[in-house]
Amino acid sequence: MNGAILQVGNLKQQQNFVPLPYRCVSFQPYEGEMNAAVIERYLLDREVYRRTDIVILHNSHQEYAVAAVQRAGSDTLFTPVEKVEVLALSESCVFLSDPNTDPGNRSALAKLAVKHAVSADQTAIVIGAFDHVNIIHHPNPLVLRVIEVIPPEPPKLYHMVEQVLSYADLPPVLLELEVIDLRDLADTVRPEAYLVPCRSGGLSDLSAPVYFLDERPQQRQNWTLLGCERSLQFHCHYYGDAPPRVEMCPRQLVKPNGQATILKCCLLEYDFEQQGQVMTVPWGTDLKLIENALRQLFCGGAGHG
């Protein structure tokens, strides 16, 4: 909101409403009746700080109410309240305290609300990091399926998406990890030897000798390649033939299910691609590219990396 006057009247039915920056949230003691009409009159008779948009009222009985206020202006230090919309009364408020939750992050607030079974018709009031307060009204976060191969563990793409959600200005998103275990894929064959893309993949201990494509073994072995199309291209360049191969590319192994999904593919190098609800990023992606991909997926627009 950043200082603009909040327009009230249609906020109560919104889902995933998180006021930001949370300096616009005021946490105030109140001993009046927890009734919408009474609260509206109470706030209309008061002045508020010129940055206040949301007022959380709390009493000695640990009852809460949340109201949005429309200020008369922003020029003076304090200003009258012109309109009030009561968003939640005590019966639909859930008070949560977690010092590890960033009150300025939508996804963090949504994750905490879901953890505590706050429903989509309730409002979570969160005392988070540094004892700062915010709300998530009617939490109903988006869900992102993250497809990633293991090892290594923890999965790199999942960790990077978590990082992006910790700072990016995006809707609240919860992650669902779906892993493809390369060791299980390797167990589907019984070759004389395996050829895997690189030593850093954590695949040095399989049921047969293991060679590493990125080290370009001098002697061509009777191996099976555990790799993707790009690995096959490397092999053809190095040795002039195509070996037996077990596919490991998430893009080839996982079918779209209508759910928002992010995965990696070696055939992409500098940008992402979107097919319906599936977003594909390069294997060597970075945080900025992932942020742009998520913004495109969930908000419908972004500059490409």
Side-chain angles (χ1 to χ4, degrees), residues 230-283:
R230 183 68 82 205
S231 295
L232 179 61
Q233 293 171 1
F234 280 21
H235 190 282
C236 291
H237 176 78
Y238 292 161
Y239 304 107
D241 65 69
R245 180 168 69 98
V246 176
E247 180 64 75
M248 61 167 279
C249 178
R251 200 175 194 180
Q252 300 300 320
L253 296 177
V254 177
K255 302 303 180 184
N257 64 356
Q259 184 178 346
T261 300
I262 189 169
L263 48 79
K264 297 189 299 188
C265 177
C266 283
L267 296 180
L268 297 184
E269 295 184 353
Y270 298 111
D271 210 344
F272 57 79
E273 288 184 3
Q274 182 175 5
Q275 292 180 305
Q277 288 291 94
V278 178
M279 189 65 72
T280 305
V281 297
W283 203 269

Side-chain angles (χ1 to χ4, degrees), residues 156-167:
K156 181 182 177 183
L157 180 60
Y158 183 83
H159 177 67
M160 294 178 76
V161 173
E162 279 190 317
Q163 282 185 272
V164 169
L165 292 179
S166 73
Y167 65 78

Side-chain angles (χ1 to χ4, degrees), residues 63-221:
E63 295 174 321
Y64 302 88
V66 179
V69 296
Q70 184 170 318
R71 293 174 272 108
S74 301
D75 295 332
T76 58
L77 191 61
F78 287 87
T79 181
V81 174
E82 286 192 338
K83 295 181 181 179
V84 175
E85 183 178 3
V86 177
L87 303 183
L89 295 173
S90 183
E91 58 270 17
S92 60
C93 290
V94 180
F95 181 82
L96 303 173
S97 179
D98 186 337
N100 296 315
T101 294
D102 179 0
N105 183 267
R106 297 181 182 93
S107 292
L109 292 168
K111 183 177 181 180
L112 184 68
V114 169
K115 177 182 177 181
H116 290 275
V118 180
S119 69
D121 58 358
Q122 294 179 310
T123 301
I125 301 168
V126 178
I127 304 293
F130 310 108
D131 288 331
H132 291 178
V133 63
N134 205 351
I135 67 166
I136 179 166
H137 177 64
H138 292 175
N140 187 22
L142 304 168
V143 177
L144 177 66
R145 184 173 63 149
V146 182
I147 311 296
E148 178 65 301
V149 299
I150 58 170
E153 297 177 87
K156 181 182 177 183
L157 180 60
Y158 183 83
H159 177 67
M160 294 178 76
V161 173
E162 279 190 317
Q163 282 185 272
V164 169
L165 292 179
S166 73
Y167 65 78
D169 184 15
L170 291 166
V173 177
L174 295 185
L175 302 183
E176 289 185 355
L177 175 62
E178 185 173 322
V179 299
I180 299 169
D181 196 320
L182 299 180
R183 293 159 297 198
D184 292 340
L185 294 180
D187 283 343
T188 63
V189 293
R190 288 291 181 267
E192 292 181 21
Y194 290 98
L195 182 65
V196 300
C198 61
R199 189 178 292 273
S200 64
L203 291 171
S204 57
D205 186 19
L206 297 176
S207 61
V210 178
Y211 297 85
F212 303 97
L213 183 62
D214 66 331
E215 296 178 1
R216 196 170 181 170
Q218 290 186 358
Q219 184 66 42
R220 167 71 160 88
Q221 304 293 326

